[in-house]
Amino acid sequence: MYTGRDTIEWLYGHQFKAGGEWSVRTDNGFRWWPTDRVQTVEVVGEADGPSGERGYYISVRTELFKVHSLDGDALKALNLSAMPFASLAGPVYDPRRGTLDLCSWALVYEEISPWMNILLSIAAAMQIHEAQRLGDKFGDFGLENAVSGHPENGIREGWDKISDLLPAFISAQGREPSRWTAPEFQHAADLLGNMPPVLLATAGGPGLSAEFPFGTFSSLCRISAEESHPFYGNGLLITHFFPVSGKKGEEEQWIRKALSLNMPLLGSDPAGYGFGSYTYSDGMIVHAAFYPNILYSPGLLLNLLLSCGARGMAMNRELAGVKGGENPFLLSKSAVERFMEHMGKN
């Protein structure tokens, strides 16, 4: 557990400074109380990375609601009010614990750990912020705020300094124009447009569209720097559409399916990064994720596009029942090198 352990220790000691009276170590990570809600950061699985190196699934979960059962009304409320406006986390229902959590996850291996650790830490801070904002919206649907206390020190009053200041810093940077620019989208589309599993990739201004195999059709992914987030301002919005069914009477079934897809998809088959949320709308399962300006780096766009390809493959298996296909992450090394060369010339 070399890389997984190092990621946990970096998040615990360096980024969150979580040690002290408001944290508890677990076998695979730690739990801490940045507010009166607990956040759990743990290694939840292992798999090989694209070059055969060992990777570790890191999960970050913040308790949102205590849930006795998720009836149709509660599901529809979540589907309309929480799931479509996801940033880097999606709601996950755990009937065993009786909780609804916000969850982000990723497979971390040594080569990507320097920037993936930062992404996970930003996602964790955003979860804390969003859990507080969402907490009072669903009382009419039998969803009780998941307030909990440290086993020895009880309920925490106020916010941890880091989890309080970081979302404000994210929002401040979001007031600037999006840092993802039109030339970057064009380079990404040119580079990956003719490489599997991408069927077609086209750029237009500060954004691009890509299509991936999906059954006998295709799934459309849109990446845009023109749409802002209500909490975090400007950045990068990714929406990926998977046509399923629009038959009457099936809405609750598909909302439950979308909610279940927010659970970490662990295994050797790539499933993309676990940032954002699935939702159901107009006969489609839709995955949405928002990356705020603070996360910008020149190579991130290409990695996110490759992740969309892996998500497309996973949903091709999960929703369309198609097995096999190219692993887009096998293209990442050479593709990133060429992408950075392009960016250096412009």
Side-chain angles (χ1 to χ4, degrees):
M1 286 182 60
Y2 176 77
T3 302
R5 181 199 63 209
D6 285 355
T7 293
I8 293 294
E9 293 304 318
W10 184 85
L11 291 169
Y12 179 81
H14 176 80
Q15 193 74 336
F16 295 155
K17 297 178 172 58
E21 61 180 332
W22 297 111
S23 65
V24 174
R25 291 282 194 165
T26 66
D27 290 342
N28 296 317
F30 64 94
R31 306 174 80 216
W32 74 306
W33 284 259
T35 64
D36 57 3
R37 299 171 190 269
V38 66
Q39 183 173 86
T40 303
V41 184
E42 291 184 310
V43 176
V44 293
E46 300 180 21
D48 289 337
S51 299
E53 65 275 59
R54 201 60 177 165
Y56 300 88
Y57 284 103
I58 307 295
S59 166
V60 180
R61 293 172 65 138
T62 303
E63 289 190 359
L64 182 58
F65 300 118
K66 295 178 181 178
V67 184
H68 301 297
S69 65
L70 270 179
D71 61 20
D73 289 340
L75 276 171
K76 290 177 183 178
L78 285 170
N79 193 59
L80 291 173
S81 302
M83 293 154 70
F85 304 105
S87 54
L88 296 178
V92 167
Y93 178 48
D94 187 338
R96 181 181 56 83
R97 291 168 45 238
T99 61
L100 190 76
D101 304 335
L102 290 177
C103 180
S104 309
W105 57 272
L107 179 66
V108 181
Y109 45 94
E110 187 172 3
E111 184 178 349
I112 70 169
S113 62
W115 60 266
M116 181 58 78
N117 290 355
I118 293 172
L119 206 165
L120 282 165
S121 71
I122 296 296
M126 292 165 71
Q127 282 186 26
I128 297 163
H129 180 63
E130 289 163 24
Q132 298 298 116
R133 279 181 171 265
L134 291 169
D136 297 326
K137 289 189 175 182
F138 296 92
D140 294 339
F141 299 97
L143 305 181
E144 176 187 353
N145 283 334
V147 173
S148 67
H150 186 278
E152 295 179 359
N153 300 313
I155 303 293
R156 182 168 188 170
E157 296 182 2
W159 288 52
D160 176 84
K161 183 178 180 180
I162 291 178
S163 61
D164 190 17
L165 292 177
L166 190 53
F169 186 53
I170 295 170
S171 298
Q173 294 206 20
R175 289 193 284 272
E176 301 174 4
S178 176
R179 295 180 181 173
W180 284 270
T181 61
E184 198 167 356
F185 288 106
Q186 187 63 60
H187 290 321
D190 290 345
L191 187 62
L192 290 185
N194 296 314
M195 300 176 71
V198 181
L199 298 175
L200 176 69
T202 58
L208 65 80
S209 296
E211 293 186 37
F212 302 94
F214 186 73
T216 57
F217 301 98
S218 64
S219 65
L220 173 65
C221 181
R222 292 175 178 163
I223 305 179
S224 173
E226 293 186 296
E227 300 179 57
S228 61
H229 192 278
F231 298 166
Y232 307 113
N234 294 316
L236 190 72
L237 176 67
I238 301 179
T239 47
H240 202 158
F241 303 87
F242 302 95
V244 285
S245 172
K247 294 180 180 179
K248 283 188 176 183
E250 294 186 352
E251 182 181 16
E252 182 177 330
Q253 166 195 333
W254 286 112
I255 294 174
R256 288 190 186 276
K257 182 62 177 180
L259 186 63
S260 73
L261 292 173
N262 287 332
M263 287 289 292
L265 298 177
L266 311 181
S268 57
D269 289 329
Y273 304 138
F275 301 110
S277 179
Y278 289 90
T279 186
Y280 174 74
S281 178
D282 297 327
M284 292 191 180
I285 297 285
V286 183
H287 185 272
F290 182 83
Y291 296 79
N293 268 345
I294 194 174
L295 285 172
Y296 174 81
S297 64
L300 181 60
L301 176 62
L302 187 64
N303 278 288
L304 295 179
L305 184 56
L306 290 164
S307 175
C308 292
R311 179 176 299 108
M313 289 172 54
M315 293 304 102
N316 205 19
R317 296 188 296 267
E318 181 72 21
L319 299 175
V322 177
K323 298 182 179 179
E326 298 284 345
N327 180 351
F329 286 107
L330 293 176
L331 309 173
S332 60
K333 285 189 175 180
S334 60
V336 169
E337 289 172 359
R338 282 178 282 164
F339 184 79
M340 296 301 290
E341 288 175 2
H342 275 301
M343 294 302 296
K345 294 176 183 178
N346 290 274

